[in-house]
């Protein structure tokens, strides 16, 4: 840790705790007594810090600033770890904005981050080439709807939305009080109080066909109630009435799945190289797709209903493949 980093660390500790003992400073900075004494002296004499030792409090604190030169720490140099964190933030912002949803709103922030990185560790453009985030399977959201919903959230106003429900393949008009915007696996969702069903509901933003801002105040619902109702999950894991699926992965697939987090409440165990994973789920159709992508390397142990659905899907796929192959053979003949 450089001296500049130590000075910023000392300043931060005193501001956070008001009074910090000499021993605590040594422990936090992991330096010798001599080094810490030099840093404290540098703060007082070179940077004009109003730093005093309070005998009654048993530590160092800032006194009221005296007339004279202003105390100000020099610009902070970021460590390599901090630079990497800023880089990742930069890429995440650009990744979220690839659909044009945040657009002009985040450009000033990205410009500031780039400026900081330029000062911290050379050329920001060169460094940014070394970190890359790739988001896949995102669904497109109408920019007008995104900004309108964001405005409703901030202003705490209600919305009228024309919503297409994929499960029932129909459109309905809903009056909703927006509660929270969520980005899950690259897709945007709105948690809201639905005044038609008189309950908390989750709406996929890409399924909103039209939206209109109303003058009525939004109904206030605690975020804890939202989490309790939705089960804290989205997509496969949404809803509080969840079922549990037990999956058994082959040794080959286990090498990858063992490091994956499917759900915060998942249970897992190793079985002679194989990997058993038990997870909660709500939407069987989405879970089936997750299971099928592992092909012959996964077996559904429970529940029986999910096992039967997977078996039917595989049988149908085999039938379609066979029919396609037969037709191709006939055409070739």
């Amino acid at each position: 840790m450089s001296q500049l980093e130590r000075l910023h660390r000392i300043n931060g500790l005193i501001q956070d705790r008001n009074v910090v003992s000499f021993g605590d400073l040594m422990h936090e900075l992991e330096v010798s007594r001599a080094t810490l004494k030099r840093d404290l002296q540098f703060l007082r004499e070179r940077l004009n810090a109003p730093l005093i030792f309070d005998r009654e409090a048993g530590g160092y604190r800032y006194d009221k600033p005296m007339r004279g030169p202003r105390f100000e720490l020099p610009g902070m140099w970021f460590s390599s770890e901090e630079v990497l964190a800023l880089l990742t933030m930069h890429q995440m912002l650009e990744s979220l904005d690839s659909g044009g949803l945040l657009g002009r709103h985040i450009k000033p922030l990205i410009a500031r981050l780039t400026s900081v990185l330029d000062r911290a560790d050379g050329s920001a453009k060169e460094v940014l080439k070394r970190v890359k985030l790739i988001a896949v399977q995102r669904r497109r959201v109408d920019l007008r709807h995104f900004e309108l919903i964001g405005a409703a959230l901030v202003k705490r106003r209600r919305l009228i939305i024309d919503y297409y429900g994929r499960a029932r393949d129909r459109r309905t008009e809903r009056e909703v009080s927006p509660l929270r915007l969520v980005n899950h696996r690259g897709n945007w969702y709105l948690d809201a109080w639905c005044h038609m069903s008189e309950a908390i509901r989750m709406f996929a933003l890409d399924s909103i066909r039209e939206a209109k801002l109303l003058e009525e105040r939004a109904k206030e619902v605690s975020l804890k109630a939202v989490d309790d109702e939705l089960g804290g999950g989205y997509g496969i894991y949404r809803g509080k009435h969840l079922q549990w699926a037990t999956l058994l992965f082959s040794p080959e697939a286990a090498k990858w799945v063992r490091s994956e987090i499917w759900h915060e409440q998942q249970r897992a165990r190793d079985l002679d190289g194989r990997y058993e994973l038990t997870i909660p789920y709500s939407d069987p159709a989405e879970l089936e797709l997750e299971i099928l992508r592992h092909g012959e390397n996964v077996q559904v142990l429970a529940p029986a209903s999910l096992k039967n659905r997977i078996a039917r899907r595989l049988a149908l796929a085999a039938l379609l493949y066979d029919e396609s192959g037969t037709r191709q053979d006939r055409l070739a003949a």
Side-chain angles (χ1 to χ4, degrees), residues 154-168:
V154 173
K155 297 177 180 179
R156 305 306 303 131
R157 303 238 308 264
R158 298 186 188 186
L159 291 164
I160 288 286
I161 61 173
D162 179 358
Y163 190 74
Y164 169 64
R166 290 188 176 91
R168 299 182 180 179

Side-chain angles (χ1 to χ4, degrees), residues 139-146 148-149 159-174 176 188 190 203-213:
R139 300 190 293 267
R140 293 181 180 178
V141 176
D142 191 308
L143 175 60
R144 294 174 301 127
H145 300 159
F146 185 88
L148 187 66
I149 291 168
L159 291 164
I160 288 286
I161 61 173
D162 179 358
Y163 190 74
Y164 169 64
R166 290 188 176 91
R168 299 182 180 179
D169 192 27
R170 67 187 180 96
R171 292 170 65 165
T172 56
E173 186 175 85
R174 311 283 190 100
V176 300
W188 288 98
L190 172 67
F203 301 95
L205 261 62
D206 60 286
S207 286
I208 296 177
R209 299 295 182 254
E210 296 293 337
K212 179 183 177 182
L213 189 64

Side-chain angles (χ1 to χ4, degrees), residues 31-202:
V31 295
S32 66
R33 294 180 64 85
T35 297
L36 180 55
K37 285 183 176 180
R38 285 196 297 270
D39 288 344
L40 295 174
Q41 183 178 5
F42 191 91
L43 278 169
R44 287 196 197 96
E45 298 179 2
R46 301 288 297 276
L47 300 179
N48 305 301
L51 184 65
I52 63 170
F53 181 76
D54 190 325
R55 293 187 179 277
E56 292 185 3
Y60 290 90
R61 65 175 177 84
Y62 285 139
D63 198 6
K64 293 181 179 180
M66 305 290 288
R67 289 185 178 180
R70 179 182 176 184
F71 166 52
E72 186 174 354
L73 286 171
M76 179 63 178
W77 288 84
F78 290 88
S79 67
S80 58
E81 292 83 3
E82 291 166 332
V83 169
L84 181 59
L86 287 172
L87 284 169
T88 306
M89 284 176 57
H90 184 291
Q91 291 289 61
M92 288 179 70
L93 288 171
E94 288 196 328
S95 175
L96 285 174
D97 190 43
S98 61
L101 296 178
L102 304 179
R104 62 185 181 276
H105 305 295
I106 67 168
K107 284 184 179 179
L109 180 55
I110 289 178
R112 290 181 186 178
L113 281 175
T114 303
S115 175
V116 168
L117 294 176
D118 273 330
R119 294 197 301 269
D121 199 4
S123 170
K125 291 182 179 179
E126 179 61 30
V127 178
L128 284 171
K129 295 176 183 178
R130 311 301 175 184
V131 177
K132 186 174 184 178
L133 298 179
I134 301 175
V136 297
Q137 297 181 337
R138 287 177 302 183
R139 300 190 293 267
R140 293 181 180 178
V141 176
D142 191 308
L143 175 60
R144 294 174 301 127
H145 300 159
F146 185 88
E147 293 189 336
L148 187 66
I149 291 168
L153 273 170
V154 173
K155 297 177 180 179
R156 305 306 303 131
R157 303 238 308 264
R158 298 186 188 186
L159 291 164
I160 288 286
I161 61 173
D162 179 358
Y163 190 74
Y164 169 64
R166 290 188 176 91
R168 299 182 180 179
D169 192 27
R170 67 187 180 96
R171 292 170 65 165
T172 56
E173 186 175 85
R174 311 283 190 100
E175 180 177 335
V176 300
S177 290
L179 302 172
R180 179 170 61 189
L181 267 175
V182 177
N183 187 279
H184 174 70
R185 291 189 171 186
N187 295 307
W188 288 98
Y189 297 89
L190 172 67
D191 295 339
W193 177 267
C194 176
H195 293 273
M196 184 176 76
S197 58
E198 288 295 312
I200 297 169
R201 293 289 184 264
M202 181 187 66

Side-chain angles (χ1 to χ4, degrees), residues 243-247 281 284 287-288 291-292 298-315:
Q243 303 181 69
W244 288 84
T246 301
L247 313 175
Y281 73 97
L287 181 57
E288 287 166 30
I291 293 171
L292 289 170
V298 63
Q299 178 184 357
V300 179
L301 301 182
S305 58
L306 180 62
K307 187 174 183 178
N308 292 335
R309 288 175 66 105
I310 293 293
R312 286 197 296 271
R313 272 183 176 266
L314 292 174

Side-chain angles (χ1 to χ4, degrees), residues 21 106 129 165 197 228 240 246 250 260-261 264 290 310:
S21 70
I106 67 168
K129 295 176 183 178
S197 58
D228 290 343
K240 61 181 180 180
T246 301
S250 69
E260 295 177 357
I261 299 177
E264 292 179 355
E290 287 292 318
I310 293 293

